[in-house]
Every structure is written in C-alpha cells, then in structure tokens.
Amino acid sequence: MRVVLSGYYGFDNVGDEAILYAIIHSLKEYQPNIEIVVLSNKPEKTAQTYRVKAVNRWSLKEVRATIKSSDGLISGGGSLLQDETGFKSIPYYAGVIKIAQQLKKPVFVYAQGMGPISNKLNQMIVKHVLNAVQLLTVRDQQSEQLLKKIGVAADIQLVPDPVMGIDASGFHSSWLQQQNFQRKVITVSVRNWANDNYAFQEIASGLDKLAAKGHEIVFVPMHGIHDFKTSQSIEDLMTNNVYIAPHDSTIQEKMAIVKESDVLFGMRLHALIFAAVGTTPFVALSYDPKIDSFAEIVNQPVLGHVESKDWNATGLVEAIEHILSNYPDVHEKLEKEVAPLQKSANATARAVIDSVTRLAAGTN
C-alpha cells in the first residue's frame, strides 16, 4: 500500500510538522508496511526526519507521477482550504486533489480545519473537489457547517486533530531540565500579527505582572525563527526576566516543555493542542475561528481576539491565576475532556487504510 500526503509540510512550522508526525505514526501503527510519500517544501529534510519518502511539492511533474503510482492521496491535516492567509492555498491544495481525481485515485481529507473561504470562486472550487472525495473528515463543527453552507453534499465526519493522538508521556526537554525551575511555569506561544500594537503591549504587561508574582515565563516558538522574533519583541516590552525556548528544538521537546508547564497562554492552535495532549490547562488568545473552536472542544477559556480591545493585561492575569488557584479541579476537568479525543484520534488513519484496502479489493 502506497499513499501520498499533501499538506503544509517542510516549512518548519511545528504545528504542521506535528500533524505530519501524528499522521505518519497513526498510519504505520495500523499498517506497518505502508509506504508514505510526502509532498514537501524541503523533501530531503522531511524524508530524513520522518523516515518516509518525500518529493518536491512545487514540481508538478513529480507530484503527478507520485500520485499516479500511489493507491491514494491524503489531503491534510491542518487549515489548507482557506483564503484568509493568501490567495494561493486553495488553488494549490484543491489542485493537488484534482490531479488525484483526474488520475482516478481515491482522495481522503484528513481532519482538516476548513475556512474561512471568502471568495465565491474559491467556494465553488472547494465544493467541486470535496464532493468527489472518498472520505471527508474535519476537526470541528464550524468546518462542517461551512462546508454544508457552500454546498458540499458529501458525508462529513467530525474527528479530533491528528496531534491529539500523540502519546507525549515519554517526551522530555534537556533545555527545560537545565533551567531547573522551582516556581510555577507559564508557557507562552505568540505569533506575529499586523495590528498587534495593543495586543502585544497588553500581553507584555500581563506577563510582567505574573512574573512579578513569582511565576516563570517561558516563550515556546512554534514557527521557528518567526515566532522567536515575535517572542523577543514582547520580551523587549517587559521589565521582568523571561525565557525563550530554542526555536529549532524538536516537536517532542516543545511538547515536553508545554506538558511540564503549569499553564499555557497561547495564540498558536497547536500550542493549545500540545497543552491539551499534556493535560496542561490553557488560556487562548484568538486570531482565527479555529482557536475558538478548539478551546470550545476542550472547554478552555478564550481571553479575547487579538484585534479587539475587549480584553487587557488585567484579564490575562486573572484568567491565569484563576486556573492556578483552582488547579486540581481545572486539571481534572481538562483530563475528562481530552481522554475521549485521544482515544479516537487514530481512528481516522484506520478509516483511510480500510477504505484503500476495500477499493483495492474492488468492494464498496
């Protein structure tokens, strides 16, 4: 069995790399002999890191040949079919799906977060390609509702994000151990934002107050040097000492840092998911509906939206201290929310492999 994986892979974004890691692990756990080929921005690095085959995602010739010689295409996970971050995403990912469909290869949409899709033409493109896929799974109800709204009539299944299936219990960070923190640790995940003047000032002020109360503040860059620079820009606004974890550490190390912390304050979706996997309570700052959706799924608070002024530093401090003051109860409730998601996260891989097997056998 040979499958092709299409997603935002090879761009050093820890969230998307964690998705890739999780999907590969789930597929191989259910079908050890499966051959996986990843369409990657850095195929050599992807192949070496995950011990799979990889090809250049930008080479149409390679992409087409790879799909042609496969038993099917997996599209996802992540937020691929959206036009919020640029106009190229939907044409690219829908185009890869269309290539597979033209070659009469089955397509499996794997735990994606859909939208926003503002452009009418993009809505038509997404509707066209998704109505012809063999398996359509999404990671939240908002994605399901969006697809139905734009006319997708295919059966839509709601599943957990693939990263929820990772067992992080054995992960550790040598960097974290070297710090030898003795006080409560608050991890922080931020990303750059165009209108961030208010938000970053309030974040810095809130974190300063928490540091002054005796808590350790640790930034965890999720998107390499990009988030490292954003973390530095907030650190520059602060007066108290903070720490920034290595931006080039592994997925496992970053998951360990978040898991070992007491609370996470985060913008990046997969920082929130890392927290949930490690049963670390979190407070989210939203910049996209996917943040609100996941926070709702695991019943964790959203402080506000990065572009709104309905939240401030005082609210940030109060939200974190509420968690710390009620920790046993908050932690227990999060464990109960997360447990069923962890159990079912790997079921998507099983559905893909079972479908490929049935199609190969010529049965429905």
Side-chain angles (χ1 to χ4, degrees):
M1 183 181 295
R2 188 173 196 251
V3 296
V4 178
L5 261 174
S6 168
Y8 191 70
Y9 306 134
F11 291 92
D12 299 323
N13 184 309
V14 172
D16 290 284
E17 294 304 308
I19 290 171
L20 179 58
Y21 171 89
I23 293 176
I24 290 171
H25 183 270
S26 294
L27 290 170
K28 287 188 172 182
E29 189 173 74
Y30 190 56
Q31 180 64 265
N33 296 324
I34 192 170
E35 182 179 340
I36 299 169
V37 188
V38 180
L39 307 183
S40 173
N41 184 55
K42 295 179 181 176
E44 291 183 4
K45 182 178 180 180
T46 296
Q48 182 179 13
T49 301
Y50 303 103
R51 297 181 181 179
V52 294
K53 293 184 178 180
V55 300
N56 184 355
R57 61 177 263 146
W58 303 115
S59 170
L60 179 61
K61 183 178 180 181
E62 284 189 76
V63 169
R64 185 177 179 85
T66 300
I67 294 174
K68 186 175 183 179
S69 63
S70 75
D71 294 302
L73 171 74
I74 295 174
S75 178
S79 302
L80 307 181
L81 297 174
Q82 51 81 27
D83 54 17
E84 180 79 5
T85 60
F87 64 90
K88 295 180 181 179
S89 290
I90 288 176
Y92 176 80
Y93 293 110
V96 172
I97 292 173
K98 191 62 182 176
I99 289 171
Q101 291 171 340
Q102 289 174 339
L103 293 170
K104 302 189 183 307
K105 300 294 180 178
V107 176
F108 311 96
V109 176
Y110 201 113
Q112 284 197 35
M114 300 290 175
I117 309 175
S118 303
N119 183 278
K120 293 293 183 182
L121 178 59
N122 283 339
Q123 292 178 6
M124 291 175 61
I125 291 171
V126 171
K127 172 186 172 182
H128 173 71
V129 297
L130 293 189
N131 271 329
V133 302
Q134 275 62 43
L135 179 70
L136 176 51
T137 63
V138 297
R139 67 188 179 196
D140 55 66
Q141 290 182 336
Q142 287 82 353
S143 295
E144 180 184 16
Q145 291 166 2
L146 171 63
L147 294 185
K148 289 181 177 178
K149 183 179 179 180
I150 66 173
V152 175
D155 180 54
I156 304 170
Q157 299 179 33
L158 187 63
V159 300
D161 186 284
V163 178
M164 290 301 300
I166 296 177
D167 179 4
S169 58
F171 296 169
H172 73 277
S173 165
S174 57
W175 177 86
L176 184 63
Q177 291 176 338
Q178 289 168 10
Q179 308 313 310
N180 194 28
F181 293 130
Q182 300 299 313
R183 302 183 294 181
K184 298 291 186 183
V185 176
I186 300 168
T187 41
V188 180
S189 166
V190 290
R191 58 157 296 166
N192 66 308
W193 197 254
N195 303 315
D196 56 21
N197 289 338
Y198 174 83
F200 285 7
Q201 287 284 353
E202 293 301 313
I203 291 172
S205 177
L207 295 178
D208 246 341
K209 291 176 182 178
L210 289 165
K213 290 174 179 286
H215 305 311
E216 304 288 4
I217 308 298
V218 179
F219 287 87
V220 183
M222 294 291 288
H223 193 180
I225 193 67
H226 304 286
D227 287 4
F228 181 81
K229 290 179 178 178
T230 303
S231 301
Q232 281 185 319
S233 69
I234 294 177
E235 179 187 25
D236 291 342
L237 298 171
M238 298 175 61
T239 57
N240 286 287
N241 184 50
V242 301
Y243 299 82
I244 304 179
H247 67 82
D248 56 353
S249 57
T250 65
I251 295 166
Q252 294 89 335
E253 289 170 326
K254 292 184 181 182
M255 290 190 80
I257 294 170
V258 174
K259 175 172 66 74
E260 295 301 322
S261 69
D262 295 282
V263 186
L264 170 85
F265 172 69
M267 291 178 69
R268 290 281 188 189
L269 173 63
H270 280 90
L272 308 182
I273 294 176
F274 284 8
V277 168
T279 61
T280 297
F282 67 77
V283 176
L285 180 63
S286 181
Y287 71 91
D288 185 282
K290 64 187 180 184
I291 303 297
D292 304 86
S293 295
F294 183 71
E296 183 179 352
I297 288 170
V298 294
N299 196 25
Q300 295 293 286
V302 178
L303 182 63
H305 191 280
V306 67
E307 289 190 347
S308 73
K309 294 185 178 180
D310 58 353
W311 64 277
N312 55 30
T314 301
L316 193 165
V317 173
E318 290 176 350
I320 297 293
E321 292 209 312
H322 173 77
I323 290 173
L324 294 174
S325 299
N326 301 276
Y327 206 81
D329 183 51
V330 171
H331 187 265
E332 182 182 357
K333 287 180 179 178
L334 179 59
E335 281 186 321
K336 288 180 179 178
E337 297 288 353
V338 167
L341 301 175
Q342 291 178 314
K343 288 181 180 179
S344 60
N346 293 327
T348 312
R350 178 175 297 187
V352 170
I353 291 171
D354 287 348
S355 182
V356 172
T357 303
R358 288 195 302 271
L359 290 167
T363 58
N364 294 324

